[in-house]
Amino acid sequence: MTIRVRQQPRNRRCAALRTRIPLVTLVLAVTGCGGSVAPGATPDSPGSPAVSHGTPTPGASSALPSRTGADAAPATARATSSAPAATCTDRYLSGMTTAQRVGQLLMGGISASQPDQVQLRILRDNHVGSVMLTGRSSAGTTATRKLVDGFRGQADQVAGRRVGLLVSTDQEGGRVQVLNGPGFSAMPSGLTQGSWPTSTLRTRAAAWANELKAAGVNLNLAPVADVVPAALGVRNIPIGSFQREYGHTADVVTSHSGAFAAGFAQSGVMTTLKHFPGLGQVIGNTDTTANVVDSVTTADSSSLTPFRAGIKAGSPFVMISSATYTKIDPNHLAAFSPTVIEHLLRGQLGFNGVVISDDLGNAVAVRSFTPAQRAVNFIAAGGDMILTVQPSTIPAMAQGIQARMAQDASFRAKVDAGVRRILDAKHNAGQLDCG
């Protein structure tokens, strides 16, 4: 993918930036009043990176790394509600239509620098409850916050109360940093971060989290918890070739992914352990390659240690890989595997938070499945939140889920359980109003 040269945002106020204005109008106004937009480009044009698996810096390799974060400590964002989380979640869940419940299961990608009005309308019309800022933006925190506030102003309501959005991005560091410009630090690569004392990394991570918070982002799809063996190194295309790993041993990755997540938790921004059960032993990138296989990792591998530690520390999100793990479940991609999600992640590792997919919209790894099949297979396997960087897949995904719900009571129960976990995360992030 060709990487667009960063441009400096224009500094001017725009009277159209009010949440009362329709979302499409508002977003177009934002991009004209501070966004970093390349003239004549569209989000799907070859020069405009829209993939959320990390965005290499200009001049980097054209192959984008596999998308997505680890939280080795619980998020501590203050909730706006004084009601217990279960009571607050129940109130929202019971008031939702089927379409609204399905919408909560979806996270749609939107260009951080050049939002597309058709894609935005798809998100709104399908009640999509979470947004991912994709590509690369040099607009800075102020302009990004205006953009995000526009999204929030158009979020769904239940019984007159807004269902707040989770707004995420890939802010790992190095060649995977979506948001740049005034107010954002230049974050070094994971390997560099892994060379620091953990106390230093935690302090700096807390500062990076505050930058995201200033921009309105409440969920980081980072840090990477994958262990890339030194012997494999840069031949590991999704992680090692971009120096996204914290180190080459489970101990280093555990300590430093934990420090990163703890710093974010300290500042009240949630993080995501990724890419379970690990992409450190593969060669191919699931974004750009089909049939990516890990023939090494088992349910007892030491490379699962960073995930175990992060879950024990209270990680709210875990992202599932789209590779196949022959020694765990040779018959399914991990994202479609009950063995990986329900038995290993939830059962053996005890994870009770939100299971989010890697990209199921544009990744080559899932192209042999229709969008509806991808969504249904992920939920049926025990997943909660479907990430798609291609909003055009959302209507088919939503329709597929609703069709399966109408036929299968056990699947309906999985949907409700997933929505509940997502709403609990939103409550903890202060995005539900139950006062």
Side-chain angles (χ1 to χ4, degrees), residues 273-285:
L273 289 165
K274 66 183 184 186
H275 310 77
F276 188 83
L279 284 175
Q281 293 282 358
V282 304
I283 299 296
N285 183 347

Side-chain angles (χ1 to χ4, degrees), residues 52-54 64-69 170 172-173 175-176 189-191 193 221 223-226 228 237-247 274-275 279 285 287 358:
S52 65
H53 293 48
L64 288 174
S66 173
R67 260 204 29 69
T68 100
D170 272 337
E172 298 175 16
R175 291 155 70 179
V176 185
S189 70
L191 269 182
Q193 294 176 38
L221 300 177
V224 168
D226 305 317
V228 180
I237 302 302
I239 309 298
S241 68
F242 293 92
Q243 299 187 342
R244 299 169 72 192
E245 72 274 32
Y246 287 99
K274 66 183 184 186
H275 310 77
L279 284 175
N285 183 347
D287 284 346
D358 205 336

Side-chain angles (χ1 to χ4, degrees), residues 401-409 411-412:
I401 293 171
Q402 290 192 50
R404 180 67 174 270
M405 290 174 69
Q407 301 167 356
D408 187 339
F411 186 82
R412 288 197 299 274

